[in-house]
Amino acid sequence: MAAAAWLAAPLCAVHAADYPARPITLVVGFPAGGGADTVARIVSDKLGKILGQAVIIDNKPGAGTTIASDFVARAAPDGYTLLLGSSNLYGSDKLLYKGVKYDGTRSFTPISRWSSAPMLLAVHKDVSARTVQELIAEARQNPGKLAYSSSGNGVVTHLAALSFEKAAGVNMLHVPFKGGAPSLQAVASGDVQLTFGTPPSVLPMAQGGKLRVLAVTSAQRSPLFPAIPGMSEAGVKGYDYTFWFGLFGPAGLPPEVAKKLFDASTAVLTDPEVKARMEKSGNEAAPSRSLAEFREWALAEGAKSKELTERSGATNE
């Protein structure tokens, strides 16, 4: 056994030194064109150049990102199949979807946070409410009838709305879609009245006059969107919701490979050009301080997400 361990050590080092020797697949649980996809493409382009191999985006939307997450959880832990994930990995997926077998703490290797941003509360251009308080008043007058879209059950766009309903004391109708792009299109076409969307999804349609943004989901105004009121200013006390995306690998990823991906991510996210592109898309580049810091932070965020899902009363599909 001692001899085997002695032989394995240099082999592991050689593997890490050679990594990556071929293109890397980054799996995204949303279709092209949404907020997660935008973050993935901004970072992956530069990441591939630093690592010396292409990083190929593989969009696997559906079932609240669980299809993508399950795919990566079952992949070989060699660093060639990675996931753009978030807090829903840590329990809320299991609460919402019967078939979920993975567990955030045991099925994945957290590598680094990539982005952080508030979401945007947006309404169809013909909705009469011009402020958040007017929207709340309409929702209270018509409980269960004001419809909001999301990019899937249990993902950030759904949880932001659930948190808003609780803080505002309203009950609205949830209409889930398979990704941010179709969710926003439903609002733009008037099929639903509002959404809590990611900035990369909302901003182009708002700038095109198809949507109106009423507030950011953070308590205070965001430096990314200084002209848009925060929820505290809009009169919704106790509401403060931001979303994030991070890089994950399957459980058992060699520490040397995880460290190489962490270092490359940090280099990308501190690059002025990448930071500018992220801000233009409505996201803040938010690299973690270390692998350990991201692991603990993601675990804490996941616990909050799970608690919110439990409070919502949502059931398995």
Side-chain angles (χ1 to χ4, degrees):
M1 291 178 63
W6 179 79
L7 288 170
L11 287 175
C12 183
V14 170
H15 173 78
D18 290 346
Y19 175 83
R22 54 186 170 87
I24 297 167
T25 297
L26 176 60
V27 181
V28 178
F30 299 95
D37 181 73
T38 299
V39 170
R41 292 181 189 279
I42 291 174
V43 179
S44 65
D45 181 52
K46 188 79 172 182
L47 189 69
K49 292 176 182 176
I50 290 176
L51 292 172
Q53 290 286 347
V55 178
I56 301 168
I57 306 299
D58 183 7
N59 297 96
K60 292 185 180 296
T65 75
T66 62
I67 293 173
S69 301
D70 181 69
F71 180 84
V72 175
R74 293 185 290 103
D78 55 11
Y80 292 101
T81 304
L82 305 173
L83 175 71
L84 187 72
S86 194
S87 57
N88 53 291
L89 294 175
Y90 292 85
S92 60
D93 281 350
K94 277 190 173 181
L95 292 172
L96 290 164
Y97 296 93
K98 291 180 180 178
V100 170
K101 303 297 183 184
Y102 58 79
D103 177 270
T105 57
R106 296 191 298 269
S107 305
F108 300 97
T109 300
I111 298 168
S112 181
R113 182 176 56 242
W114 275 10
S115 68
S116 177
M119 304 183 76
L120 302 177
L121 168 53
V123 298
H124 182 262
K125 62 183 179 63
D126 293 334
V127 167
S128 60
R130 314 298 294 189
T131 67
V132 174
Q133 286 303 312
E134 289 178 1
L135 185 69
I136 291 173
E138 184 176 343
R140 287 175 177 168
Q141 290 171 3
N142 302 282
K145 293 186 178 179
L146 205 61
Y148 68 91
S149 65
S150 81
S151 48
N153 280 311
V155 299
V156 291
T157 51
H158 181 204
L159 297 180
L162 290 174
S163 185
F164 177 82
E165 286 182 295
K166 183 177 185 298
V170 298
N171 177 32
M172 302 185 294
L173 176 65
H174 177 217
V175 183
F177 289 85
K178 292 183 178 180
S183 172
L184 265 294
Q185 187 56 47
V187 186
S189 64
D191 292 335
V192 298
Q193 288 78 51
L194 69 142
T195 194
F196 290 77
T198 60
S201 297
V202 172
L203 290 174
M205 290 194 177
Q207 292 162 354
K210 296 179 179 180
L211 307 175
R212 282 187 287 108
V213 177
L214 300 186
V216 294
T217 59
S218 51
Q220 307 302 323
R221 291 188 183 228
S222 167
L224 293 170
F225 315 105
I228 304 175
M231 283 294 178
S232 181
E233 181 183 341
V236 186
K237 306 302 180 184
Y239 183 84
D240 188 10
Y241 195 96
T242 56
F243 76 99
W244 59 274
F245 291 114
L247 183 64
F248 294 80
L253 195 68
E256 297 85 354
V257 172
K259 183 63 165 59
K260 183 168 285 191
L261 288 166
F262 173 83
D263 290 342
S265 293
T266 301
V268 171
L269 295 166
T270 54
D271 180 88
E273 181 184 350
V274 171
K275 291 172 68 175
R277 289 181 65 193
M278 291 279 273
E279 289 181 8
K280 187 176 180 181
S281 74
N283 291 281
E284 181 181 359
S288 301
R289 293 190 297 271
S290 67
L291 284 159
E293 185 267 340
F294 180 56
R295 181 175 62 251
E296 295 303 316
W297 185 86
L299 186 63
E301 288 292 302
K304 295 177 187 177
S305 172
K306 182 180 179 182
E307 181 184 4
L308 178 59
T309 305
E310 288 173 333
R311 289 206 315 262
S312 76
T315 58
N316 286 326
E317 290 192 341

